[in-house]
Amino acid sequence: MIFKLARRAATVAGLVAATTAAAWAQTYPTRPITVVVPFSAGGPTDTVTRLVAEVMSKELGQQVVVENVGGAGGTLGAARVAKAAPDGYTILLHHIGMATSATLYRKLPYDTLNAFEYVGLVTEVPMTLVGRANLEATDLKSLIDYVKANKEKVTYANAGIGAASHLCGMLFQSAVETQVTTVPYKGTGPAMTDLLGGQVDIMCDQTTNTTNQIKGGKIKAYATTSPARLAALPDVPTAAEAGLKGFEVGIWHGVYAPKGTPKDILDKLTAALQKALADENVKARFAELGTVPSTAEEATGPALKTKLESEITRWEPVIKAAGVYAD
Ligand code: ASP
C-alpha cells in the first residue's frame, strides 16, 4: 500500500515536472540567452558566433549574449556549458576541438558524447598557415627550410591543446618532421595581436581571422589547408600545391546545449540558427572571410551529432600516432 502510494506520488510528481517543462518550453525564451564561446573575444570562433547570435536574437525575441570562456584549448568553456542548467539559457558554440579534445585529453571535466544535446552545425572553415610580416621566408618551401634550420628559436602560436590552431600546428610539425616552441593563448584573437606585433613567428588559423590581415599585407600567408584555392584568398596556394602533401584540415563549428534540454527548446534554437545561416548579411560576411555557412539540413541536431561522432573516430588515430596528450 505504502509502496503503491509512493509510486503514485512519484508518477504525479513526474507528470507535474513534465507539464512544467512543456509549459516553459512553450514560452521560451523569456530572458537573455548566453552563448559560450570557449575562446577569447576577437578570434574566429568569436567572430562566427557574434554574426550568428545577432540574427538569432531577432528570431528568438531575446538577446543572445556572447560570453568568452577561453583556456585549455576550449575545454573550460565546454565544461561550463556541460554543467549549466538544461533550460536553454546557456548554450555553446564550439568547433572541431569538441572532437579532438576527446582524444587529446586523458581526462576531461565532461563526457563529450553524453554531456550535450545537439542544436546544429554552423560553418565549415579552412585554415591558413601564416607568419609575421617580417619573417624572411617568402613561400612554403622556404618556410619549411627556415623552420628546420631554426627549430630552437621558431615560435608557434596556438589557442591551447584542443584548439583548431593546435591541431593544424600538430599536423604541420609532423608533416615537416620538426618540433618548434609552442606559445599557447586563450584564443587566436590575442595570438593574432602578437603575430601582428612580431612577438611570435608563425600560426595556423581559420580564414575568419586571417583573411583581412593577409589581404592588408600585415602577415605572410604560406598555404591554405584546403583541397582547392579559396575564393576569398585566390593568391594563396594550397599546401599540396606548394609541395606539402597530407597537410589538409577543415574546421567546422556546432551549437550544443546541456544534456536534458527539452526538445521544444532545441527545436527553437535550431530554427533560429537556420534563419541566421540563411541571412543575406551573415552569408556576405562569411563569404568575405572564406567561411561557408552550413545548409538547413546540416544545421540540425542529428547532423551535428553524426559529424561529432565521425570526427572523433577520424582524428583519434591521427592524434594517437602523433602521441600528443594533455592531462
Ligand atoms: N578557433 C581558434 C583555435 O581553435 C581559437 C579562437 O577561436 O580564438 O585556434
Side-chain angles (χ1 to χ4, degrees):
M1 179 67 175
I2 290 177
F3 177 67
K4 261 196 186 160
L5 277 178
R7 202 167 56 188
R8 185 175 302 163
T11 313
V12 171
L15 277 176
V16 170
T19 317
T20 317
W24 59 253
Q26 255 169 31
T27 54
Y28 170 88
T30 55
R31 58 187 168 88
I33 297 163
T34 297
V35 55
V36 171
V37 168
F39 298 103
S40 314
T45 315
D46 182 70
T47 301
V48 162
T49 308
R50 283 175 199 273
L51 283 168
V52 167
E54 204 182 312
V55 183
M56 286 182 77
S57 298
K58 283 190 208 130
E59 285 304 313
L60 293 162
Q62 286 290 339
Q63 275 305 113
V64 178
V65 183
V66 175
E67 184 183 333
N68 298 91
V69 184
T75 60
L76 292 186
R80 151 112 164 73
V81 177
K83 288 189 201 108
D87 57 8
Y89 290 101
T90 310
I91 58 176
L92 172 73
L93 197 150
H94 200 349
H95 61 27
I96 189 171
M98 191 76 152
T100 52
S101 294
T103 307
L104 282 165
Y105 284 78
R106 288 186 218 275
K107 210 165 155 280
L108 277 177
Y110 52 88
D111 176 352
T112 304
L113 287 173
N114 290 305
F116 301 96
E117 305 288 351
Y118 304 89
V119 174
L121 280 158
V122 183
T123 51
E124 288 274 348
V125 200
M127 300 201 86
T128 41
L129 183 64
V130 293
R132 62 180 157 80
N134 55 357
L135 202 61
E136 61 192 57
T138 50
D139 57 13
L140 185 60
K141 193 184 167 309
S142 54
L143 178 73
I144 295 171
D145 292 344
Y146 178 81
V147 164
K148 283 183 187 261
N150 297 281
K151 57 175 183 273
E152 289 80 22
K153 64 170 206 205
V154 170
T155 49
Y156 177 88
N158 74 12
I161 295 185
S165 46
H166 166 264
L167 176 68
C168 189
M170 182 184 92
L171 296 174
F172 175 67
Q173 292 176 71
S174 92
V176 302
E177 296 170 347
T178 309
Q179 293 294 315
V180 297
T181 304
T182 296
V183 185
Y185 294 79
K186 285 190 178 172
T188 46
M192 177 60 83
T193 306
D194 276 7
L195 191 73
L196 290 166
Q199 280 92 354
V200 282
D201 297 323
I202 52 174
M203 170 161 88
C204 188
D205 200 15
Q206 295 158 61
T207 54
T208 329
N209 204 30
T210 60
T211 302
N212 289 338
Q213 311 294 3
I214 294 169
K215 283 187 170 161
K218 302 210 171 78
I219 53 175
K220 281 201 168 107
Y222 294 105
T224 69
T225 64
S226 47
R229 284 196 188 211
L230 307 172
L233 292 166
D235 300 333
V236 182
T238 68
E241 268 179 310
L244 192 61
K245 305 271 179 250
F247 179 48
E248 253 183 41
V249 54
I251 303 310
W252 49 274
H253 292 84
V255 176
Y256 306 81
K259 190 79 185 173
T261 305
K263 173 146 187 337
D264 288 4
I265 289 179
L266 295 173
D267 288 347
K268 283 189 185 175
L269 289 167
T270 298
L273 173 65
Q274 290 171 339
K275 274 274 168 39
L277 297 177
D279 180 87
E280 290 307 324
N281 178 46
V282 170
K283 286 200 317 208
R285 289 285 292 126
F286 275 12
E288 273 166 34
L289 299 170
T291 304
V292 184
S294 300
T295 61
E297 292 73 43
E298 291 162 343
T300 61
L304 173 59
K305 182 172 189 284
T306 305
K307 179 79 172 176
L308 178 66
E309 287 168 355
S310 69
E311 287 279 284
I312 291 176
T313 310
R314 173 179 171 205
W315 289 107
E316 191 182 310
V318 180
I319 293 164
K320 286 193 168 154
V324 188
Y325 292 102
D327 290 316

